[in-house]
Amino acid sequence: MRFTPEVLLDLEEQSKIRLSDERREKVASEMEAFLECVDAMKKTDTEGMEPLYHIFPTTNVFREDEVTNTNRREELLENAPDQKDGYFKVPVTLE
Amino acid sequence: MANFETVMGIEVHVELSTKSKIFCGCSARFGDEANAHVCEGCAGMPGTLPTLNRRVVEYAVRAGLALNCEISRFSRFDRKSYFYPDLPASYQVTQLYHPICKNGHLDIVADGKTKRIGINRIHIEEDAGKLVHDDWDDCSLVDYNRCSVPLIEIVSEPDFRSADEVVAYLEKLKATLQYLGVSDCKMQEGSMRADINLSVRPVGSEKFGVRTEMKNMASLKSIARAIAGETRRHIDAIESGETLIQETRRWDDNKGFSFAMRNKENAKDYKYFPDPNLMPVIVEEEYIREIRASLPELPEEKKARYIREFGLPEYDADILTGSRYLVAVFERAADICKNPKEASNWVMTELLKLLNDAQMQPEDMKFSPDSLGTILNMLTEGKINRAVAKKTFAEVFESDVDPVDYVRKNGLMQVSDTGSIEPVIREVLDANRKAVSEYLAGNEKSIQFLIGQSMKALRGKGDPQVVRDLLIKGLDERKG
Ligand SMILES: [Zn+2]
C-alpha cells in the first residue's frame, strides 16, 4: 500500500482539497490501481528513445508582439467570485 | 568575523520590454489602472490557449549572446504549480528542463579587481500578478496587469563573495540589458528584481554552508544591507551552535533583519511537468548569427572607445557608459557641439548633480536629447555665458524647455559690447568707493566684489571677460 494515510494527507494539502474518511479509502485504492499502470509503463525498454513532449510534430508557433486586446476590465471582473474597486477580491493572503 | 566567508549566487528576474504579454495580446504596459490589461488567457480561465510572443525569444537570445551564453537550439516550457492568488492559472509557465541559454559569464570590476561571474542559465517565464492588502476590509485585492508579462530569469553561479561584487554585477547587468533594449530594468517599478542565495562557511572550507534565499530585493542599497544582515545572522547561528534551515526569507529593510516567508516560496513540491499547450522552440544557427550581428556596442567596448577616441578619463568613461540614458545625452551633445570632452564634463558635473538633487535615475530623464548640445554651442559662440548656460540646462532638465527660446524669451543673451557695459561699470565704480579705494591701495581681491556687482547690474548676462577688462581699465583711470 503506497497511499498510506500520511501520503494521502500530504497530497490533499498540496492539492488544496479535503476528502472525507470513506472517500479517502476509495481514493487510495483507485490511485493504487493508477500507479500499477505506471509501473507497467516503467517496465518498457525506452533505451535510446527521445522523450515525446507533444503528439504533434510542430515547433515554433509564434504570434507577433502586438497589442490586440482592449480594456475589458468590467467584463472580466464579472467572472470573479468577488470584486472591489476594479480588483479581484480574495481572502487575506499574507506572505 | 574574519574567519568566515559569504558565498552568494543571484537570480535576477527582468521584465522584457515587449508591447504585449507573453502568451496573449494584452498590453504589457506598466502603471495603468488595475486589471486594465487582462483577458481570459492571462486571467487563467479554463479553455484558453497560449501562443508565444515571437519577440520574447528574440530578446532572450539577445540577452544570452550579450552575456556570453550558449544558445540552446531546442528549448521548451514547463509548468510550475503553486496555489497563490497572484497566479490565477495556479501554475507559472517557465523553462525548468530546457532553458533557452546556458553557460555564460559577465566580467565585473569590484574592489579594484576584475572578476568573472559565471551565468548558469537564462530561462523564459511569465510574471505573476500583484496583491494589495486591504486592512480596512480585511481582504486582499489582486491586479493581474503584470500577470503573464514576459520575464527572463538570469541565474548566476555561486561566485560572489562580497556585497560590492553583487552590486557591481547588478549594475553591469542593468546597463547591459538597457543597452540591448530588452528591458528598462527599473528596480523601483519591479522590472528588475534580485533574489540572493546566501550561505556562510569557514574560510578555506570547500563545503557550502546551509543556504537561505532572500526574495525580491528592491534597491541596490537595501541589497548591500541585506547581505550584511543575513551574513551576521548565519555567523551568529554557526557560532552559537544553532541549526540554520534552508528556506526563503524576506529582508525587512526598516527593521534591519530577515524573516522566513510562509507562502508559495516554501512550497514542498512545484510538480513541474512539460506544458502540453506550448510547442518547443527551435533556434537556427542563422537566426543566432542575425541577432549577434544586430547587437549594439556594449558598455565595455564603448568605454574603451571613449577613452581611446575622446581621451576621456577612465573614471568618467566608466560612469558615462554605466547607463545607456547617460550615453544618449552625451553622444548627442558631443555630436552637436563637436567637443566630446566638454560634453562629458557637463554630463559628469551638471547632469549628475541635477539627477542627484532630484533623486532621479538616468532612465527617468525627460528632456530633448538635442538640448545640451544646443546650449554648449551657444556657450562657445559667446551667445550666453557659463552661468546662464547652467541655469538654462537646469531649466531644460526640469521642464524640457527649448534652450534657444528660453534664452531669448528671458533676455539672457550675453552682453559683450563695450557700449552697453561701460556705463554700468562706471555706475558700479561710483557706487562702491570703498572697494575701489581698497583695490587702489593694493588689495586686488576686491575686484571680485566689483565683478560681482557689475554682473548683478547686468542681470547675470555680462561677458565675464569683457566685464573684467573694462573694470580694470576703469580702475586704472581712477589711479590718479
Ligand atoms: Zn491577456
Side-chain angles (χ1 to χ4, degrees):
Chain A
M1 197 56 184
R2 283 172 279 190
F3 289 96
T4 60
E6 294 77 43
V7 172
L8 265 183
L9 263 177
D10 185 46
L11 288 174
E12 285 180 39
E13 196 189 308
Q14 288 195 46
S15 322
K16 302 278 187 253
I17 53 171
R18 178 68 68 232
L19 298 174
S20 60
D21 286 345
E22 54 268 37
R23 281 285 287 156
R24 203 167 279 147
E25 212 162 290
K26 190 158 177 281
V27 166
S29 69
E30 282 172 4
M31 290 180 62
E32 187 58 41
F34 180 72
L35 268 200
E36 279 162 16
C37 295
V38 177
D39 292 339
M41 283 194 278
K42 277 187 170 167
K43 287 186 192 125
T44 318
D45 180 12
T46 55
E47 188 64 36
M49 287 173 83
E50 280 293 311
L52 178 76
Y53 299 113
H54 295 276
I55 51 168
F56 304 113
T58 320
T59 57
N60 291 0
V61 180
F62 296 124
R63 42 173 277 274
E64 297 309 316
D65 182 25
E66 278 154 18
V67 177
T68 48
N69 294 342
T70 50
N71 186 344
R72 290 163 53 226
R73 167 161 111 163
E74 303 317 317
E75 201 183 330
L76 262 295
L77 281 169
E78 276 172 24
N79 286 309
D82 203 355
Q83 51 168 296
K84 185 187 177 185
D85 304 335
Y87 289 87
F88 291 82
K89 186 174 166 182
V90 298
V92 180
T93 314
L94 295 172
E95 293 175 302
Chain B
M1 198 74 187
N3 306 328
F4 292 97
E5 76 171 347
T6 313
V7 178
M8 288 168 285
I10 307 180
E11 293 162 14
V12 179
H13 287 89
V14 177
E15 279 187 352
L16 300 177
S17 310
T18 53
K19 291 202 218 57
S20 62
K21 292 189 176 181
I22 183 169
F23 300 126
C24 63
C26 289
S27 168
R29 198 168 63 193
F30 180 85
D32 290 325
E33 64 169 17
N35 294 304
H37 309 306
V38 185
C39 69
E40 290 81 354
C42 55
M45 293 188 192
T48 58
L49 283 174
T51 315
L52 180 60
N53 184 335
R54 184 189 298 277
R55 181 144 295 146
V56 171
V57 175
E58 182 196 323
Y59 281 4
V61 171
R62 275 173 88 79
L65 290 174
L67 298 173
N68 310 293
C69 289
E70 295 163 18
I71 308 301
S72 310
R73 297 287 306 276
F74 173 92
S75 70
R76 59 169 184 80
F77 296 91
D78 305 292
R79 291 183 180 180
K80 174 185 183 178
S81 302
Y82 63 86
F83 294 105
Y84 200 70
D86 64 1
L87 195 68
S90 80
Y91 59 82
Q92 177 193 33
V93 174
T94 180
Q95 296 187 308
L96 178 71
Y97 299 106
H98 296 273
I100 188 135
C101 312
K102 285 177 291 197
N103 303 330
H105 64 257
L106 185 63
D107 292 337
I108 59 162
V109 180
D111 312 314
K113 287 188 293 267
T114 300
K115 179 167 177 176
R116 176 155 293 183
I117 302 297
I119 289 171
N120 177 280
R121 52 146 66 202
I122 302 176
H123 60 257
I124 297 170
E125 58 185 34
E126 56 179 340
D127 210 348
K130 200 174 153 242
L131 277 177
V132 189
H133 301 290
D134 183 341
D135 289 331
W136 183 260
D137 227 357
D138 202 27
C139 65
S140 293
L141 303 173
V142 203
D143 171 7
Y144 290 127
N145 281 350
R146 306 321 288 158
C147 195
S148 265
V149 166
L151 293 174
I152 50 173
E153 179 174 343
I154 303 163
V155 182
S156 84
E157 297 292 349
D159 288 345
F160 300 94
R161 297 292 177 273
S162 73
D164 281 352
E165 290 176 2
V166 171
V167 170
Y169 172 77
L170 291 172
E171 278 176 343
K172 183 81 177 280
L173 199 56
K174 176 176 167 176
T176 305
L177 296 171
Q178 286 181 339
Y179 272 59
L180 295 171
V182 303
S183 174
D184 57 17
C185 296
K186 293 186 179 177
M187 284 193 111
Q188 69 280 18
E189 287 181 7
S191 65
M192 182 177 190
R193 304 175 316 242
D195 304 341
I196 303 193
N197 290 301
L198 182 150
S199 65
V200 165
R201 66 181 174 192
V203 171
S205 162
E206 287 292 308
K207 214 172 126 251
F208 292 122
V210 174
R211 173 167 57 93
T212 56
E213 183 176 12
M214 283 184 291
K215 278 276 172 196
N216 290 347
M217 305 301 307
S219 76
L220 293 177
K221 283 194 183 108
S222 65
I223 284 172
R225 285 191 287 267
I227 291 171
E230 188 66 357
T231 300
R232 216 177 307 118
R233 193 180 72 86
H234 279 236
I235 293 175
D236 286 351
I238 295 167
E239 287 184 334
S240 62
E242 278 169 50
T243 319
L244 284 158
I245 306 164
Q246 181 171 336
E247 63 188 351
T248 301
R249 302 176 68 88
R250 177 176 288 279
W251 173 253
D252 186 322
D253 207 34
N254 295 320
K255 296 198 175 79
F257 59 79
S258 69
F259 56 91
M261 292 168 80
R262 282 185 303 271
N263 65 5
K264 56 180 178 178
E265 306 302 346
N266 291 318
K268 274 187 265 182
D269 184 357
Y270 289 123
K271 300 184 274 289
Y272 285 100
F273 70 96
D275 191 305
N277 290 340
L278 286 158
M279 298 300 137
V281 173
I282 307 285
V283 175
E284 303 293 347
E285 284 299 333
E286 178 60 25
Y287 178 77
I288 298 173
R289 253 198 310 277
E290 273 170 31
I291 293 189
R292 194 187 293 280
S294 76
L295 292 184
E297 187 183 36
L298 291 170
E300 221 137 297
E301 307 160 55
K302 212 180 256 300
K303 179 181 156 187
R305 184 167 63 84
Y306 283 3
I307 296 170
R308 192 176 64 238
E309 281 181 20
F310 303 148
L312 299 186
E314 182 172 359
Y315 177 79
D316 296 17
D318 199 49
I319 301 275
L320 284 179
T321 56
S323 156
R324 73 176 269 204
Y325 303 94
L326 290 181
V327 163
V329 173
F330 163 70
E331 290 192 351
R332 193 78 193 105
D335 196 42
I336 292 176
C337 78
K338 310 285 176 232
N339 186 344
K341 272 200 170 157
E342 177 78 346
S344 163
N345 286 340
W346 275 73
V347 173
M348 290 297 296
T349 53
E350 294 309 313
L351 184 53
L352 291 186
K353 182 174 175 299
L354 290 166
L355 281 168
N356 190 43
D357 290 350
Q359 294 279 301
M360 275 166 63
Q361 297 295 314
E363 52 264 39
D364 303 323
M365 296 186 295
K366 296 270 187 286
F367 60 89
S368 154
D370 289 356
S371 294
L372 179 56
T374 308
I375 293 172
L376 296 183
N377 277 348
M378 288 195 283
L379 180 62
T380 15
E381 289 159 10
K383 288 185 183 151
I384 54 174
N385 64 30
R386 194 161 283 273
V388 169
K390 284 185 186 177
K391 191 176 159 190
T392 307
F393 187 45
E395 210 57 45
V396 162
F397 179 85
E398 174 78 25
S399 34
D400 193 22
V401 295
D402 178 273
V404 176
D405 265 8
Y406 176 79
V407 166
R408 198 181 42 228
K409 277 191 193 139
N410 292 283
L412 297 172
M413 296 299 240
Q414 176 160 270
V415 179
S416 38
D417 64 302
T418 321
S420 315
I421 297 178
E422 241 166 7
V424 176
I425 298 282
R426 214 171 301 130
E427 275 170 37
V428 167
L429 292 178
D430 286 345
N432 296 284
R433 295 264 158 87
K434 190 162 164 269
V436 171
S437 45
E438 275 171 17
Y439 177 84
L440 294 178
N443 182 2
E444 299 206 341
K445 272 192 205 147
S446 53
I447 197 167
Q448 289 308 333
F449 172 75
L450 293 167
I451 290 175
Q453 292 299 305
S454 308
M455 287 300 273
K456 205 170 144 195
L458 289 160
R459 293 180 39 235
K461 300 177 298 183
D463 180 330
Q465 195 53 49
V466 178
V467 167
R468 192 187 177 86
D469 291 349
L470 289 178
L471 261 179
I472 291 173
K473 191 169 153 239
L475 285 163
D476 282 347
E477 282 165 6
R478 284 171 199 232
K479 261 185 190 158

